[in-house]
Amino acid sequence: MRLLAIETSCDDTGAAVVLDGRKILSNVVSSQVSVHQKYGGVVPELASRKHIEAIIPIVTEALRKAGVTLQEIDGIAVTQGPGLVGSLLVGLSFAKSLAFATGLDLIGVNHIEAHLSAIFLEEDPPKFPFIGLVVSGGHTSLFRVEGFGEYKMLGQTRDDAAGEAFDKVAKLLKLGYPGGPIIDELAKTGDPKAIRFPRASLGKNSMDFSFSGLKTAVVNFVKAHPEPPGGFPEEMIRNIVSSFQEAVVDVLVKKTFQAAQHQGLKKVVISGGVAANRLLRQRMEEEASEQKIRVRIPSPAFCTDNAAMVGVVGYEYLKRGVRSDFSLNAFSNLPLNGK
Ligand code: KG4
Ligand code: ZN
């Protein structure tokens, strides 16, 4: 089954052609970073407008790169939420129109489920059940994953998502947008032990997260060290971001392995934009070999938003005969078992 998959949940316009939910024939992503950069974050209204401009060229390119025509496509999968509603509606309306015009099957896909399923684009995908950590700009959640469509949420952030904390700290330090990749790079040359930022535990067995206290601690640290006329010294910035990143990674690693232990599972899958972070990947691998747990993390391009992962989920549902009708709508909040 050859699916055309479309992803427009935030600020990336993505289209992919995926064979049998596993093999990528094309995967095109058009980033809007240059549009939002000067605002230090995604401006929803601008994001929707840019999706409108990009959607037809990006889908056309995905078909061209895959070397297929629309006649050779068997179905259309599209992200329906969670995300920015204006952004989601562009992809969704486009997908519905295309399905109506071509008569192709249509399936709405949950963005979190797509992140959790990105690992199936890699060689030797894991067998169910496993612990899934989704850590992105909008979400930080731990699940017990029993199968496609079978998820039990074990914990989630009570305030900011981890990626959001990266972005906010980068904005505070005037480093640019999106903060995650910038901090990832800068932190390499900083001292992770320079400042002891807080790690929120939220109780002994809690699998919830909280990153707003950490963000506030960074704000307070910066306030306590007024910016000199020439700006903060390089070394200080590097130490702040390195110590901040260390605190985020500590909590993510600790809670993920705690969840694995609690659930008696030996497999962990990590996904979402923050899963592209080098320190997180390294520390997860180290802890995994220590605890004899298998950790799988998709390659960075499948961690951040992309349409190929939407094709994985779409295939699993269409294969089972589940499809969406034209009443399919976009939702900024969409629980994982909301189907
Ligand atoms: O999954 P994603 O592309 O979009 C959402 O669904 O949110 O995640 C984007 C988030 C942003 O907050 C970005 O700063 C963060 O992922 N991110 C990273 C890295 N690459 C992207 N955070 C830390 N380190 C990275 N290398
Ligand atoms: Zn995402």
Side-chain angles (χ1 to χ4, degrees):
M1 193 191 290
R2 233 184 251 124
L3 288 193
L4 170 66
I6 296 171
E7 151 67 38
T8 64
S9 68
C10 190
D11 61 339
D12 291 312
T13 316
V17 179
V18 182
L19 181 66
D20 293 338
R22 297 294 180 273
K23 188 171 171 6
I24 295 178
L25 302 182
S26 67
N27 187 29
V28 184
V29 183
S30 163
S31 162
Q32 301 179 1
V33 163
S34 59
V35 177
H36 304 287
Q37 222 155 26
K38 57 178 171 288
Y39 305 100
V42 178
V43 182
E45 173 65 25
L46 289 179
S48 319
R49 287 167 188 261
K50 288 290 159 189
H51 282 308
I52 290 172
E53 286 170 21
I55 189 80
I56 293 175
I58 292 301
V59 169
T60 308
E61 199 183 333
L63 291 170
R64 187 187 59 76
K65 281 196 165 157
V68 297
T69 62
L70 263 183
Q71 287 70 42
E72 293 165 293
I73 293 290
D74 302 304
I76 303 170
V78 63
T79 308
Q80 70 166 135
L84 298 172
V85 114
S87 290
L88 288 163
L89 277 170
V90 177
L92 199 78
S93 311
F94 179 83
K96 279 161 77 170
S97 313
L98 196 60
F100 183 73
T102 56
L104 287 170
D105 282 343
L106 175 71
I107 180 77
V109 169
N110 183 303
H111 185 67
I112 304 302
E113 186 167 16
H115 272 307
L116 279 169
S117 308
I119 195 66
F120 291 91
L121 294 165
E122 303 285 1
E123 290 289 308
D124 184 26
K127 304 239 174 340
F128 298 110
F130 54 78
I131 293 292
L133 170 71
V134 179
V135 64
S136 70
H139 300 269
T140 306
S141 309
L142 272 167
F143 298 94
R144 181 187 172 98
V145 181
E146 293 287 351
F148 288 103
E150 293 173 61
Y151 307 94
K152 182 176 174 224
M153 186 185 275
L154 305 172
Q156 62 182 325
T157 183
R158 295 188 188 169
D159 39 58
D160 293 349
E164 194 179 352
F166 271 94
D167 296 338
K168 285 178 175 171
V169 166
K171 188 173 180 178
L172 171 78
L173 298 171
K174 306 189 187 75
L175 299 176
Y177 177 85
I182 299 168
I183 290 181
D184 188 344
E185 186 58 36
L186 262 182
K188 275 197 308 193
T189 48
D191 175 5
K193 294 197 165 58
I195 308 148
R196 177 75 195 173
F197 286 127
R199 282 104 167 121
S201 137
L202 308 169
K204 198 165 158 277
N205 292 320
S206 172
M207 280 172 250
D208 280 348
F209 300 89
S210 166
F211 294 104
S212 77
L214 170 59
K215 177 193 65 195
T216 307
V218 178
V219 170
N220 290 342
F221 181 87
V222 171
K223 272 194 195 150
H225 298 78
E227 191 171 347
F232 293 118
E234 262 286 318
E235 193 192 352
M236 178 179 161
I237 300 280
R238 282 192 258 115
N239 287 345
I240 295 174
V241 296
S242 188
S243 302
F244 158 79
Q245 179 178 265
E246 186 79 6
V248 175
V249 168
D250 271 357
V251 174
L252 292 173
V253 171
K254 184 174 160 225
K255 300 233 171 197
T256 303
F257 284 90
Q258 191 179 309
Q261 215 164 43
H262 186 258
Q263 295 291 311
L265 294 178
K266 292 268 174 210
K267 271 171 283 175
V268 167
V269 171
I270 301 158
S271 54
V274 182
N277 183 272
R278 273 172 289 188
L279 182 72
L280 181 67
R281 297 173 81 93
Q282 181 196 326
R283 291 277 296 282
M284 287 284 186
E285 299 290 354
E286 284 168 7
E287 193 67 23
S289 65
E290 210 160 279
Q291 297 208 22
K292 309 263 177 300
I293 283 179
R294 182 121 200 263
V295 167
R296 298 292 310 274
I297 313 176
S299 47
F302 301 145
C303 288
T304 47
D305 287 349
N306 67 87
M309 64 185 189
V310 177
V312 176
V313 179
Y315 166 74
E316 293 298 328
Y317 285 94
L318 287 178
K319 189 172 75 173
R320 291 165 175 73
V322 182
R323 48 183 60 83
S324 305
D325 59 30
F326 291 122
S327 68
L328 184 70
N329 207 348
F331 297 97
S332 55
N333 284 313
L334 187 65
L336 202 44
N337 282 326
K339 279 202 167 66

